Amino acid sequence: MSDPQVPRSPSYEEVLAENFTLRTDLTQALARIVDLEARLGMTSKNSGKPPSSDGLAKPSPKSLRGKSTRGPGRPKGQPGTTLRQVDNPDHQVPHEPVACCGCGAGLVGTPQVGVERRQVFDLPPVRVEVTEHQLIWRLCSCGTLTKAEAPEGVRAPVQYGPRLAGIGVYLFHGQFLSKSRTVAALGDLFGVLVAAATLVAWTTRIAAQVTAKVIAVIADRIAGSEVAHFDETGFRTAAKLHWMHSASTPTEVLLTVHPRRGVEAMDAAGVLPRFTGIAMHDAWAPYDTYQGPTHALCNAHAVRELVYVVDTAPAEVADHATQAIDAMVAIKNLVQAARHDGAEDTEAFTAALSTRQHLLRSAIALGKTATAGRASKLERKHNNLFGRLHTRWDNYQLFTIDPLAPWDNNPAEQTIRMPKLRIKVSGCMRTLAGAQEFAAIRSYTATATRHGQNMLGVLIDAADSHPWIPAT
């Protein structure tokens, strides 16, 4: 009879089974570790993450541009700004010498033989002016009392004017001060104690004017343009993740906020469903559901993804990604230089472009083959990238055959950079209505600025119920 206190030795088959289980668990754990390390290595330099997410451990700058030949300071030929004296100053203050610096005699009544002019540019003391509108009553001989009509915009016995309202919204949504800091700034600058609710009312009033009279014009201009940039980003609103969508051209900006990220939100913005030009975006699938535009894909976004491959993949795959990066940047520089010199139609340019595109195709094909096993989540991600670069070749290379097509989607990313700053300052937008008001005002001011208009001036115009409207 066996002793019950002595444990039974596992059989050979049990040891093999346990060994197999441990090896499987170890393989899965190592793959997960590699994936987590790769996620930790994601920065704004090798992915679509915003620079603000890098925190204090920001990566050192790694520019793919070649060394510039331009020295420090203002570029040659670019106009500078210098403070210069004016011929007709607002005030003149004469200063007389007290006594002769030679003999000490008084100089009262002596001839003036010259003057040295020194001018100080400054703001006068700023204070709020109160204008009283008196609506006169008159008694007609027929016995009827008639009161004068109030001027446009004068709606209450006591109210703030459009200039103060425009300045408040300028500080709040133009310079991204918080609500409390905007109210404090108005008090410090102009000596008025404005309630936070008043600032909100100003914002709502200006947004309503912009939405009713300007936004549709901006959307129409973008929809009818030859090239437009599209992007979207998370926009925390009402304690939930919403999405800000942008559509922009060099002269127009349209921002919209929607609870959804995909086609429903793009349809609501009202541009892509009727756009037939070149649509530049980052290859997110919902954009491709629109058949009207010619799609161009952002090479800069692809380069950042390839940098991520270099940072996280084995040496063989990283080498293919490096070759692809070098070829993409070389193609960009070659095309830009040829267009600048008018050499696009030369045999030398065609041959050089063909050589660089061959290097890019080879790197993509080799990278796709090297990651074809798709053994881990990270390898599948790398394989998807090489596969997309292969299948969407014409969309990425459109800029080489169409001068209108851009190489990157940086204008769209620049468009949404300021709204991201608004979220960074405020943490989130309290309500969807408030987020939509911000989007309308930002669309208005960004478009006006691109047309050379003064941001504060157009906000004051909107507060006065006469918003600036771009020419149709």
Side-chain angles (χ1 to χ4, degrees), residues 114-134:
V115 62
E116 178 183 331
R117 302 169 68 223
R118 298 188 180 187
Q119 295 183 348
V120 177
F121 290 69
D122 204 350
L123 291 173
V126 180
R127 58 181 293 273
V128 171
E129 293 182 345
V130 179
T131 300
E132 181 177 281
H133 295 271
Q134 299 179 344

Side-chain angles (χ1 to χ4, degrees), residues 131-135 150-160 205:
T131 300
E132 181 177 281
H133 295 271
Q134 299 179 344
L135 309 183
E152 182 182 3
V154 180
R155 299 177 295 273
V158 178
Q159 67 181 69
Y160 291 111
R205 187 167 90 230

Side-chain angles (χ1 to χ4, degrees), residues 381-400:
K381 185 173 184 177
H382 295 164
N383 184 257
N384 289 339
L385 170 60
F386 285 115
R388 177 171 18 102
L389 291 171
H390 171 72
T391 58
R392 305 295 299 271
W393 172 269
D394 291 340
N395 301 116
Y396 280 109
Q397 294 296 302
L398 183 62
F399 76 98
T400 65

Side-chain angles (χ1 to χ4, degrees), residues 200-283:
V200 172
W202 290 343
T203 304
T204 300
R205 187 167 90 230
I206 290 178
Q209 287 289 320
V210 169
T211 301
K213 302 176 182 178
V214 186
I215 293 300
V217 177
I218 293 175
D220 288 344
R221 287 175 62 96
I222 297 175
S225 65
E226 293 181 309
V227 181
H229 296 261
F230 299 90
D231 201 3
E232 77 291 330
T233 186
F235 201 72
R236 197 77 181 169
T237 302
K240 294 181 180 179
L241 179 61
H242 287 62
W243 296 91
M244 172 165 279
H245 292 256
S246 87
S248 61
T249 68
T251 53
E252 276 75 39
V253 173
L254 178 65
L255 300 172
T256 56
V257 179
H258 198 277
R260 306 298 294 272
R261 186 184 181 187
V263 174
E264 182 181 339
M266 296 174 183
D267 287 346
V271 174
L272 271 169
R274 53 194 173 116
F275 182 69
T276 58
I278 296 175
M280 167 57 77
H281 54 84
D282 58 4

Side-chain angles (χ1 to χ4, degrees), residues 8 41 44 62 67 90 95 118 131 149 165 226-227 245 264 299 309 311 339 343 390 416 423 469:
R8 182 180 67 83
S44 60
K62 294 180 182 178
K67 186 176 181 180
D90 298 296
H95 298 275
R118 298 188 180 187
T131 300
E149 294 290 336
E226 293 181 309
V227 181
H245 292 256
E264 182 181 339
N299 286 270
V309 176
D311 292 343
R339 286 178 180 157
H390 171 72
I416 61 177
I423 291 297
I469 302 175

Side-chain angles (χ1 to χ4, degrees), residues 88-146:
N88 299 304
D90 298 296
H91 308 283
Q92 291 181 335
V93 182
H95 298 275
E96 294 282 355
V98 177
C100 175
C101 60
C103 66
L107 297 176
V108 176
T110 58
Q112 176 178 326
V113 295
V115 62
E116 178 183 331
R117 302 169 68 223
R118 298 188 180 187
Q119 295 183 348
V120 177
F121 290 69
D122 204 350
L123 291 173
V126 180
R127 58 181 293 273
V128 171
E129 293 182 345
V130 179
T131 300
E132 181 177 281
H133 295 271
Q134 299 179 344
L135 309 183
I136 306 299
W137 289 86
R138 294 292 182 182
L139 177 60
C140 180
S141 59
C142 70
T144 302
L145 283 173
T146 303

